Amino acid sequence: MEADRILRQYAAGERNFREINLAGADLKGVNLSEANFTRANFQDANLKGANLTGANLREVKLAGVDLTEANLSEANLIGTDLSRANLTSANLVGANLRGSMAREVNMNKANLTEANLTEANFTEANLFAANLTEASMIRTNLMKANLSWSTLKAVNLTNAILSESLLERANLTQAILSGAMLSGANLTGADLRQVTMVGANLTEANLTNANLRVANVSWSTLRGANLSGANLYRAKLCWSNLSGAVLVEAVLIDANLNRTNFRDADLRRAIMPDGTTNDSQQ
């Protein structure tokens, strides 16, 4: 009944619904664009296909909510609880999720182009094949998140936490990952062309067949990382630590290896900066 009353008031022109309780409500496909729901409770509600364009959802409880294919473009989701919510194929273009809690959220194939996820908690989130082009993800916690096949072109991930995350075949071209924590991350086949990750931690990360052409990985830690078959053409690895790393058949043509630490690294059949193939037996 509360949901029906809200919809009638909205149809009559009302837009202020601060702190309203709509927990468990069925609001499938409704239009509540531009409405103000600051600190409201939608926990476990059905908002599948709802239009929440430009809505103010600051500090709202959206835990467990079904927002499949919902439109949240330009919505204010600062400090919102999205834990375990389902936003599969949702539109979050330009949305502001700064400081939001989104642990175990499902954003499979969601569109987060130019969204602000700064300092948000996306631990164990599902962002498979999501579009995060030019999103701001500074200091975002993405530990154990699934970002495989996602588009992260020109994303700012400065000081982000991506430990043990899945980034297989992800597109990270021109992304900023300086100071990021990527220890144990799976970047198999990832596109990291022209990426900037100065001072990043990639300890024991899997970068098999990754494309790091013209990438800047200076001053970074890649101890025990797997770079087998990786393309490091013209990459900057100066002052980086690759002790114990595996670079079997990696391409290092014209790479900057000034002061790079290759102690105990496996460089068998790697193509060195001068174009010669390393024929060492490790």
Side-chain angles (χ1 to χ4, degrees):
M1 294 300 293
E2 182 73 355
D4 291 338
R5 180 178 68 82
I6 297 301
L7 293 174
R8 285 196 302 272
Q9 291 179 347
Y10 182 89
E14 179 63 52
R15 294 293 181 270
N16 188 8
F17 303 104
R18 294 170 61 92
E19 301 182 9
I20 197 76
N21 186 0
L22 289 166
D26 185 1
L27 294 161
K28 181 178 179 180
V30 299
N31 177 20
L32 292 167
S33 59
E34 307 294 336
N36 180 8
F37 289 104
T38 302
R39 290 189 290 279
N41 183 6
F42 283 88
Q43 188 163 325
D44 298 321
N46 182 2
L47 283 157
K48 185 175 182 179
N51 182 1
L52 291 158
T53 304
N56 187 351
L57 298 160
R58 184 169 185 141
E59 299 177 32
V60 169
K61 292 181 181 178
L62 288 167
V65 172
D66 187 354
L67 284 155
T68 303
E69 298 181 348
N71 190 344
L72 292 138
S73 57
E74 305 295 334
N76 181 357
L77 292 150
I78 295 174
T80 296
D81 185 356
L82 289 157
S83 302
R84 300 177 304 284
N86 187 357
L87 288 99
T88 298
S89 299
N91 181 357
L92 291 133
V93 174
N96 191 346
L97 293 94
R98 186 178 185 119
S100 61
M101 171 59 70
R103 293 177 63 94
E104 299 179 43
V105 70
N106 184 2
M107 288 186 172
N108 178 43
K109 297 182 180 178
N111 190 348
L112 290 131
T113 301
E114 297 183 356
N116 185 355
L117 285 75
T118 298
E119 297 176 344
N121 188 339
F122 276 76
T123 304
E124 297 185 72
N126 179 14
L127 289 151
F128 180 87
N131 188 348
L132 290 139
T133 301
E134 296 185 10
S136 176
M137 303 175 80
I138 300 169
R139 294 184 295 279
T140 301
N141 188 345
L142 292 150
M143 186 172 182
K144 296 184 179 180
N146 184 359
L147 290 144
S148 296
W149 294 92
S150 60
T151 300
L152 294 142
K153 187 174 181 180
V155 165
N156 190 342
L157 283 154
T158 301
N159 294 328
I161 300 173
L162 290 145
S163 301
E164 300 180 55
S165 59
L166 299 178
L167 288 149
E168 295 179 82
R169 302 287 178 180
N171 181 353
L172 286 142
T173 53
Q174 301 177 334
I176 300 172
L177 287 144
S178 294
M181 175 67 72
L182 290 142
S183 56
N186 188 347
L187 291 134
T188 302
D191 191 345
L192 293 151
R193 286 174 296 166
Q194 300 179 50
V195 74
T196 301
M197 55 170 110
V198 177
N201 188 336
L202 292 133
T203 302
E204 296 185 355
N206 188 348
L207 290 137
T208 303
N209 297 321
N211 189 348
L212 291 123
R213 286 175 65 97
V214 202
N216 187 352
V217 199
S218 302
W219 298 91
S220 293
T221 300
L222 293 104
R223 293 192 313 272
N226 188 347
L227 290 134
S228 298
N231 187 345
L232 291 149
Y233 172 75
R234 291 182 60 194
K236 293 180 180 179
L237 292 160
C238 45
W239 294 95
S240 288
N241 184 358
L242 281 89
S243 58
V246 179
L247 293 109
V248 175
E249 299 182 352
V251 176
L252 291 155
I253 295 174
D254 290 336
N256 185 341
L257 304 180
N258 181 41
R259 303 286 184 171
T260 305
N261 181 1
F262 284 110
R263 183 176 180 178
D264 298 323
D266 187 350
L267 287 153
R268 287 175 296 165
R269 300 184 300 282
I271 303 177
M272 304 309 287
D274 60 2
T276 61
T277 301
N278 183 21
D279 56 5
S280 68
Q281 301 300 309
Q282 196 185 0

